[in-house]
Amino acid sequence: MQQELFDITIIGGGIVGMATACKIQKNRPDLRLLILEKEDVLAAHQTGHNSGVLHSGIYYTPGSLKAKNCINGRRQMVEFAREHKIDHDVCGKIIVARDTDELPALERVYSNGIENGLADILRISPDEIPEIEPYCKGIAGLWVPDAGIIDYVAVTRKLGELIVKINPKSEIRLGHKVETFSKAGAKNQIHTDKGVFETKKMIFCGGLFADRLARKQGVALQEKVVGFRGDYYELTETARHKIRNLIYPVPNLDFPFLGVHFTRMTDGGIECGPNAVFTFKREGYGKTDFDLGDTLDALSYSGTWQLFKKNWQFGIGEYRRAFSKQRFLKTLQRLVPELSESDIRPGRSGVRALLLNKTGDTRTDFLIAYGEDSIHVLNAPSPAATAALSIGDAVWEMADKEFEI
């Protein structure tokens, strides 16, 4: 029986994969797309486990892909949410300094935001902080009105609906794990655990497995993905009134994590976190989850050990906090001193993919590259969810330029 031939196959059903597929379908309604997702639902991993924040773009180096795509992507995401009635709220956030040592970094964040075109950012005084967040304390802060919250899982599902609405011949196949690749003349064959699919071109949005998929497809990638789990606590119903919207600490902009923060979710709950600890399983959401292959892969890589060497004090502190409610609470109390142990309870966890080079430095910017008959989204950490529609535009432009279809 003759194999069905798809024009482009997108591997990965997270928000970046689905945004990319939707952008391609809108630009080329005639193309028959196939989306392959190994889980039984879309947005099962990084998309479904992130904080749900609409990032403003204030943190990212001016001129970087992160900055450009975050700002453009946020605008598109808000418009998309309004058009399709996705739960969201551009509620704004505050970034709060607790001591004088944090003031230079706070000023650097402010300068980044101004250079990135966020003209409405305001410096706020200690007296103004509680006017926005009554229970928050600090010596200085920034008000960032463009930040917000959104239901990224609902966005991802809506993107899937739009794809098959534009072209009913396009397909989304859930529960199909991609295993290997081969060629059949000019056609590419994708071998999954449910069968073989033929396609002219491929786009990879594999998240935590982006590096492995790239190598399987013959991309000479030197870096390796290393996973970091982030644990959340949540406020009890009786303590939710202590947080109105979003409260962030001053981050270390030379490190890929923004610090433990408070987020009001679209369902009204308040999450506190995440921390950042090395995980022994790429998709391990429990504190003791373990996969031998993932562990050996990470610990046999020189970049992992270089990262540990450079940041060992940070790493030890994060691990101690991961297993101690009291330590986690102490971190939260830096921003909201009146929180008590009875105000918080364990919440969910997520795992973030960081692409490390051999010196242990994380790639701070997005990375998208060509392969044979393919495009690979190799590094798309936060703010990738916010930037997803803009990333989709970028991938579509690359495909339009190089794919002869």
Side-chain angles (χ1 to χ4, degrees), residues 1 4 9 35 37 45 53 80 95 159 174-175 232 261-262 283-284 317 394 398:
M1 183 174 69
E4 292 182 288
T9 296
I35 295 96
E37 166 56 46
H45 291 293
V53 171
F80 185 91
I95 304 171
L159 290 166
L174 303 175
Y232 291 88
H261 50 269
F262 295 87
E283 291 172 350
M398 292 175 68

Side-chain angles (χ1 to χ4, degrees), residues 106-165:
L106 186 70
E107 187 61 27
R108 182 180 168 194
V109 170
Y110 176 81
S111 298
N112 271 1
I114 295 301
E115 286 190 60
N116 286 335
L118 304 177
D120 293 332
I121 304 167
L122 295 176
R123 295 184 179 92
I124 53 178
S125 69
D127 293 334
E128 290 173 311
I129 290 171
E131 293 177 6
I132 301 169
E133 292 287 349
Y135 291 86
C136 183
K137 305 293 183 184
I139 64 167
L142 298 176
W143 165 242
V144 188
D146 291 324
I149 53 175
I150 192 168
D151 185 344
Y152 285 121
V153 173
V155 171
T156 306
R157 291 171 180 166
K158 177 56 68 173
L159 290 166
E161 293 174 13
L162 294 175
I163 291 163
V164 295
K165 184 178 181 180

Side-chain angles (χ1 to χ4, degrees), residues 47-214:
T47 304
H49 288 82
N50 70 29
S51 62
V53 171
L54 273 166
H55 287 285
S56 65
I58 193 171
Y59 298 112
Y60 313 114
T61 304
S64 67
L65 292 176
K66 275 189 176 183
K68 293 176 180 178
N69 284 281
C70 181
I71 293 165
N72 178 32
R74 174 180 48 78
R75 292 173 183 151
Q76 289 195 54
M77 192 65 70
V78 172
E79 291 174 4
F80 185 91
R82 289 172 178 164
E83 179 182 357
H84 298 288
K85 297 178 172 57
I86 304 292
D87 285 342
H88 75 290
D89 185 4
V90 184
C91 55
K93 75 175 179 184
I94 58 172
I95 304 171
V96 179
R98 285 290 292 156
D99 55 55
T100 55
D101 291 344
E102 295 178 329
L103 293 179
L106 186 70
E107 187 61 27
R108 182 180 168 194
V109 170
Y110 176 81
S111 298
N112 271 1
I114 295 301
E115 286 190 60
N116 286 335
L118 304 177
D120 293 332
I121 304 167
L122 295 176
R123 295 184 179 92
I124 53 178
S125 69
D127 293 334
E128 290 173 311
I129 290 171
E131 293 177 6
I132 301 169
E133 292 287 349
Y135 291 86
C136 183
K137 305 293 183 184
I139 64 167
L142 298 176
W143 165 242
V144 188
D146 291 324
I149 53 175
I150 192 168
D151 185 344
Y152 285 121
V153 173
V155 171
T156 306
R157 291 171 180 166
K158 177 56 68 173
L159 290 166
E161 293 174 13
L162 294 175
I163 291 163
V164 295
K165 184 178 181 180
I166 295 168
N167 186 346
K169 292 184 178 180
S170 291
E171 298 182 26
I172 300 171
R173 297 288 188 97
L174 303 175
H176 284 64
K177 183 180 180 180
V178 172
E179 296 178 334
T180 59
F181 307 92
S182 63
K183 297 284 288 187
K187 302 173 185 177
N188 293 285
Q189 293 186 324
I190 302 174
H191 300 257
T192 77
D193 58 353
K194 301 287 178 61
V196 180
F197 298 88
E198 289 191 338
T199 187
K200 296 176 185 177
K201 306 294 181 181
M202 296 173 286
I203 296 175
F204 292 80
C205 302
L208 284 154
F209 290 91
D211 58 335
R212 292 182 186 174
L213 288 167

